[in-house]
Amino acid sequence: MNWTWFHQWGSPKWFYERSGRWLPWLAAAAVLLLAVGIVWGLAFAPPEKYQGNSYRIIYIHVPAAFLAQSCYLMMAVAGLVGLVWKMKLADVALQQAAPIGAWLCFVALITGAIWGKPTWGTYWVWDARLTSMLILLFLYFGVIALGNAISNRDSAAKACAVLALVGAVNIPIIQKSVEWWNTLHQPATFKVTGKASMSMEMWLPLLLCVLGFYCFLGAVLLYRMRTEVLKREARSSWVRAEVARLVEGRA
């Protein structure tokens, strides 16, 4: 098996050149999918039989919760790659994904609390799903704090990678919490496999929102990674050439 493609990802120059081609497409897809999905879900999807219009917050809550977990799993994979293959770009991905994941987790918790008030009669309960999501937010904070607290870049990369790997055990707990414990939180409304528990007019815009959020994550992450790569490789000849090209283009 040819692993050239894998090692190419370890090259900051190769990543910067390739990501520059993908970024506009991801950004455009995010805007289109989110615009259609959110407008469709909030304005045109039918009301839910029992919850009425309050359920519409799922078009923000569910994608944010999906991505908060996916982003952390991606960080764990990046941490593993950084520890095993010593790829510096893996640390760049991990460090730049953490703030995005933290915001997504925060949005998921806030929208869940808003949804919980009309559904459960309270904004917060120490429900297994809610508590494990709160732990995920603290794990994000831990990665961010470690990255900022340790001045040596290599030591910070190792510490963040280990925390990301150890914290990944919380993801299956989040996923299975409604099955393992008797909780208030309802089972999954939207599943990648299996029959959805809602009509097509409801889950189709939700699917568009989920895809749009993933494109949004990809676009923002690539932008942050490109900026960090330029900062870390500031003394490289290819970065100086890139900066000169940008300056000439603006002149």
Side-chain angles (χ1 to χ4, degrees):
M1 183 180 292
N2 188 352
W3 288 92
T4 304
W5 64 271
F6 180 74
H7 294 286
Q8 283 178 328
W9 279 100
S11 168
K13 182 176 183 294
W14 185 89
F15 166 78
Y16 189 86
E17 292 174 350
R18 289 301 180 93
S19 61
R21 303 173 189 174
W22 302 332
L23 186 55
W25 291 100
L26 282 172
V31 171
L32 179 62
L33 289 169
L34 287 175
V36 174
I38 291 176
V39 171
W40 186 355
L42 296 183
F44 298 103
E48 206 271 334
K49 182 178 180 181
Y50 300 103
Q51 300 182 42
N53 288 317
S54 65
Y55 89 99
R56 296 184 191 276
I57 202 166
I58 66 170
Y59 297 107
I60 303 296
H61 172 72
V62 171
F66 268 20
L67 263 73
Q69 297 170 63
S70 298
C71 189
Y72 198 91
L73 283 178
M74 186 205 70
M75 288 167 51
V77 172
L80 180 63
V81 171
L83 289 173
V84 176
W85 287 279
K86 312 298 182 185
M87 288 187 180
K88 294 183 178 179
L89 201 62
D91 176 58
V92 172
L94 193 158
Q95 298 281 355
Q96 299 309 307
I100 306 172
W103 273 110
L104 288 168
C105 192
F106 178 76
V107 169
L109 287 169
I110 291 297
T111 52
I114 295 172
W115 191 12
K117 182 61 176 177
T119 306
W120 301 335
T122 181
Y123 290 107
W124 181 268
V125 292
W126 290 102
D127 177 272
R129 174 64 62 83
L130 274 65
T131 303
S132 53
M133 280 296 291
L134 182 62
I135 292 172
L136 180 63
L137 181 60
F138 290 151
L139 287 168
Y140 275 121
F141 288 161
V143 172
I144 296 169
L146 271 180
N148 292 329
I150 303 175
S151 56
N152 183 276
R153 184 173 292 168
D154 292 336
S155 299
K158 290 179 182 178
C160 291
V162 170
L163 178 56
L165 285 169
V166 172
V169 72
N170 188 49
I171 302 301
I173 294 175
I174 295 173
Q175 288 290 316
K176 297 294 185 179
S177 58
V178 295
E179 300 175 16
W180 291 347
W181 293 283
N182 183 20
T183 67
L184 282 175
H185 199 286
Q186 67 187 56
T189 303
F190 179 84
K191 297 180 180 179
V192 178
T193 59
K195 185 179 180 181
S197 60
M198 56 199 319
S199 65
M200 186 183 71
E201 293 85 356
M202 294 178 180
W203 68 255
L204 193 54
L206 180 58
L207 175 62
L208 294 179
C209 287
V210 170
L211 294 175
F213 265 72
Y214 272 108
C215 290
F216 169 80
L217 171 63
V220 175
L221 180 59
L222 286 183
Y223 178 81
R224 289 178 59 89
M225 288 180 66
R226 285 165 58 84
T227 303
E228 182 65 17
V229 163
L230 290 179
K231 186 187 301 182
R232 295 192 181 192
E233 302 292 321
R235 296 183 180 180
S236 301
S237 58
W238 72 268
V239 173
R240 292 198 294 269
E242 179 67 20
V243 172
R245 185 185 67 81
L246 292 174
V247 171
E248 290 177 1
R250 293 177 180 178

